[in-house]
């Protein structure tokens, strides 16, 4: 396997590096997607970014700019206090998701692209990562990760106890918006090669696996990134070895990690349950 | 109340949610070092008033002056304020109180750690310090929030029913500690509670919040005549109704 991964790295260095960076950063950010109970934002932003990539490619613009323009516009709309309006935030998210999913299909349907190009635009393909894609990913995701590390404390306090954070002098609206802009930028940069499915998988599945097996927030973020990274390498290897679509294999691998985490948690709880029964 | 430096000043204050007015016409001066309970039945507006004083709720009318922009108070919300899904330990919750001093990045000093240990010992929280907030019992959650307020070293403490989930000995201990902070260190303590039972002996004055109004009076005036154990909610309500 290691020999094959070495071959893979030699043949597709951009894909391996891009996959590793996207996995690490999305999985770290995803811990808050889970804890803040905004999983639907993850899939909506990923789908909006895919629509932005499709529109930009049809118009001959930078895919990243197309994705970033739409995701940041979406984040700005979602920043409105919908809880105080007549419909919940999820309803607005659902409407945006429907528009993005339908719109991206309509855009590529009229594009004159071939089937491979259409699939690449709609679903992304890590293995096709170009040097230019990698440059965008590195220039965007690494500063985003640095920002998350640097602003960890106010973001955590804002999300965990909003009122107390306000009393402590934390500008909760600013930090919440900052987190969602970071998320939007990361999803935009990752979407051209990651596609909506893989980006969403990274945002949701490894963080869930990590939170199942640890009770420490920092450990959960590190573990989530590690799980996503491992799934990426295993997925790349399996896709390469068995000639399967890369992004889908990685997405399925992340689900396997969640299953393993659930089993590990179950096994770890057996002694505790036995002790309780004996008492 | 005695003529000292005023730390919270409310003038013509009307507060509520949307068009619903909860309290109106509140004039209140809280001097530095006061130990001031706010008593009244559920839904009377105690929490609403404290949230307005904290700056969490914009008044519908009137003004509130506090020093909290420069010196945040030690705040104990009701325990459900913290999302139990977040895997933060009791210790990490308490350390939040240091944010105004530490900001984004700085680590707690050795002195901060020592103070944390002392507070956790006082509150019998030490065995629970590594447990996540979601794993704690109701009373222990409240203690973690109290520890956060104490660790902040604030000059003013604002507490919303801080002892509602505590057992009686813990409740008495926490209230006496607050009274001591007020008496000996000049800290100002504002706390909402249902009944005067345990604070009556500690406070000179109390605010009765009921029927959309606030009345500041000596504690003894709020106790029903001839009732040595008095001050239960029902008795406060009937006393208010009679005035």
């Amino acid at each position: 396997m290691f020999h094959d991964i070495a071959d893979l790295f030699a043949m597709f260095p951009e894909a391996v590096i891009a996959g590793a960076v996207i996995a690490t950063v999305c999985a770290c950010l995803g811990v808050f997607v889970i804890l803040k109970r905004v999983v639907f934002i993850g899939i909506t932003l990923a789908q909006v970014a895919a629509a932005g990539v499709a529109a930009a490619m049809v118009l001959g613009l930078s895919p990243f700019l197309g994705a970033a323009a739409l995701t940041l516009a979406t984040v700005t709309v979602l920043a409105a206090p919908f809880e105080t309006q007549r419909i919940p935030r999820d309803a607005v998210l659902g409407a945006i998701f429907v528009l993005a999913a339908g719109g991206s299909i309509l855009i590529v349907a009229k594009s004159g692209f071939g089937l491979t190009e259409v699939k690449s635009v709609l679903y992304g393909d890590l293995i096709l990562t170009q040097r230019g894609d990698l440059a965008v990913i590195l220039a965007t995701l690494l500063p985003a990760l640095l920002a998350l590390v640097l602003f960890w404390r106010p973001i955590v306090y804002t999300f965990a106890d909003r009122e107390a954070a306000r009393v402590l002098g934390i500008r909760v609206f600013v930090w919440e918006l900052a987190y969602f802009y970071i998320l939007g930028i990361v999803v935009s940069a990752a979407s051209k090669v990651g596609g909506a499915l893989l980006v969403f998988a990274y945002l949701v599945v490894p963080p869930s696996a990590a939170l199942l097996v640890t009770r420490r927030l920092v450990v959960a973020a590190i573990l989530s990134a590690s799980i996503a990274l491992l799934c990426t390498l295993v997925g790349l290897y399996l896709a390469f070895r068995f000639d399967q679509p890369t992004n889908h294999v990685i997405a399925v691998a992340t689900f396997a990690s969640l299953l393993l985490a659930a089993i590990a948690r179950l096994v770890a709880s057996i002694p505790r349950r036995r002790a309780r029964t004996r008492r | 109340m005695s003529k000292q430096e005023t730390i919270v000043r409310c003038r013509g204050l009307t507060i509520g949610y949307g068009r619903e007015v909860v309290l109106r016409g509140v004039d209140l001066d809280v001097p530095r070092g006061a130990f001031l309970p706010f008593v009244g039945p559920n839904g009377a507006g105690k929490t609403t008033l404290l949230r307005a004083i904290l700056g969490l709720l914009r008044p519908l009318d009137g003004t509130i002056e506090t020093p909290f922009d420069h010196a945040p108070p030690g705040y104990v919300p009701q325990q459900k304020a913290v999302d139990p899904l977040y895997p933060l330990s009791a210790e990490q919750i308490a350390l939040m109180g240091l944010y105004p001093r530490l900001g984004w990045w700085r680590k707690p000093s050795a002195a901060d750690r020592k103070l944390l240990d002392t507070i956790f010992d006082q509150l019998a929280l030490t065995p629970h310090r590594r447990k996540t907030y979601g794993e704690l019992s109701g009373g222990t959650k409240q203690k973690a929030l109290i520890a956060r307020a104490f660790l902040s070293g604030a000059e003013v403490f604002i507490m919303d029913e801080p002892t509602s989930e505590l057992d009686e000995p813990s409740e008495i201990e926490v209230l006496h500690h607050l009274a001591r902070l007020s008496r000996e260190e000049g800290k100002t303590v504002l706390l909402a509670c249902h009944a005067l039972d345990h604070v009556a002996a500690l406070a000179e004055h109390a605010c009765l919040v009921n029927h959309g109004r606030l009345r500041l009076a000596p504690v003894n005036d709020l106790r029903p005549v001839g009732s040595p154990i008095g001050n239960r909610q029902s008795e406060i309500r009937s006393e208010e109704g009679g005035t």
Side-chain angles (χ1 to χ4, degrees), chain B residues 97-159:
Chain B
L98 295 175
Y99 184 84
R101 258 196 308 118
L102 301 183
W104 309 343
W105 199 237
R106 279 190 296 277
K107 287 188 169 181
S109 64
D112 292 330
R113 290 270 171 202
K114 201 173 166 191
L115 180 59
L116 178 77
D117 291 345
T118 308
I119 291 169
F120 267 50
D121 282 343
Q122 279 173 351
L123 293 169
L125 264 176
T126 305
H128 307 288
R129 67 190 299 158
R130 306 263 175 229
K131 286 185 189 166
T132 62
Y133 191 76
E135 292 171 331
L136 301 174
S137 67
T140 326
K141 279 179 182 161
Q142 243 170 0
K143 285 182 180 178
L145 298 179
I146 293 167
R148 178 172 71 185
F150 286 166
L151 189 64
S152 71
E155 286 300 311
V156 181
F157 293 105
I158 297 187
M159 306 193 167

Side-chain angles (χ1 to χ4, degrees), chain B residues 177-223:
Chain B
H177 185 70
L178 286 169
R180 220 170 21 249
L181 286 174
S182 159
R183 205 173 47 242
E184 294 171 10
E185 296 182 29
K187 309 271 187 185
T188 309
V189 179
L190 310 184
L191 75 160
C193 43
H194 280 307
L196 278 170
D197 288 2
H198 291 131
V199 288
L202 304 172
E204 290 177 19
H205 293 76
C207 284
L208 178 68
V209 184
N210 206 358
H211 301 304
R213 295 281 172 185
L214 178 136
R215 186 161 74 94
L216 175 70
V219 167
N220 285 335
D221 290 1
L222 297 173
R223 295 162 74 108

Side-chain angles (χ1 to χ4, degrees), chain A residues 162-179:
Chain A
R162 192 181 173 84
E163 285 211 336
R166 277 180 69 187
V167 171
L168 289 168
I170 297 172
R171 293 169 183 232
V172 294
F173 181 74
V174 170
W175 290 113
E176 195 166 58
L177 205 58
Y179 169 79

Side-chain angles (χ1 to χ4, degrees), chain A residues 205-206 208-214 223 226-228 230-231 234 238 251-269:
Chain A
V205 192
S208 302
L211 287 165
L212 272 181
V213 294
T214 180
L223 190 60
S226 308
I227 291 170
L230 185 66
C231 290
V234 170
L238 292 175
V252 172
T254 61
F255 180 79
S257 76
L258 180 61
L259 205 60
L260 285 175
I263 293 169
R265 185 177 160 78
L266 197 68
V267 170
S269 71

Side-chain angles (χ1 to χ4, degrees), chain A residues 161-237:
Chain A
D161 189 349
R162 192 181 173 84
E163 285 211 336
R166 277 180 69 187
V167 171
L168 289 168
I170 297 172
R171 293 169 183 232
V172 294
F173 181 74
V174 170
W175 290 113
E176 195 166 58
L177 205 58
Y179 169 79
F180 282 114
Y181 276 130
I182 291 171
L183 184 65
I185 289 282
V186 165
V187 169
S188 306
S191 279
K192 179 172 177 271
V193 294
L197 173 70
L198 186 59
V199 170
F200 180 56
Y202 283 145
L203 286 176
V204 171
V205 192
S208 302
L211 287 165
L212 272 181
V213 294
T214 180
R215 295 182 304 166
R216 295 283 170 264
L217 190 55
V218 174
V219 178
I222 294 169
L223 190 60
S224 172
S226 308
I227 291 170
L229 189 59
L230 185 66
C231 290
T232 304
L233 294 178
V234 170
L236 278 167
Y237 164 74

